[in-house]
Amino acid sequence: SRPALPPVPDFDPTGVEEAVVVALRKGQDDVRAEPRSAGKWGRLAQLFLAHTHPDKADLCFQTASRLAPAEPRWPFFRGVLHRRYDPA
């Protein structure tokens, strides 16, 4: 009984630099290829965080944390995200 995974978050590429679009699409494709990989979800989260998509990053960090509960990186990065975008 594996937990259900959320859909891979999408984004609006309008006005986004081509290199950023390519990096985000690659991250999405990597997650779709290995949907149970915490590392792939975490990497996609980092990309979304770096390119100011905090809600999408948070979802990906949450998913990575659920897939690898013993891995400290994902809750740590989630804390960084919340401190930056929602300090309360």
Side-chain angles (χ1 to χ4, degrees), residues 31-86:
V31 168
R32 288 185 186 108
E34 294 182 61
R36 297 239 166 239
S37 168
K40 302 290 183 187
W41 279 97
R43 176 68 180 137
L44 180 57
Q46 291 171 329
L47 288 166
F48 278 132
L49 179 58
H51 299 291
T52 62
H53 293 281
D55 294 341
K56 293 167 185 12
D58 192 40
L59 174 72
C60 293
F61 282 135
Q62 285 179 43
T63 304
S65 292
R66 283 186 22 231
L67 291 170
E71 173 58 63
R73 287 181 295 173
W74 313 133
F76 172 80
F77 284 127
R78 192 164 179 230
V80 169
L81 179 150
H82 283 275
R83 182 165 186 203
R84 182 177 192 185
Y85 289 98
D86 184 20

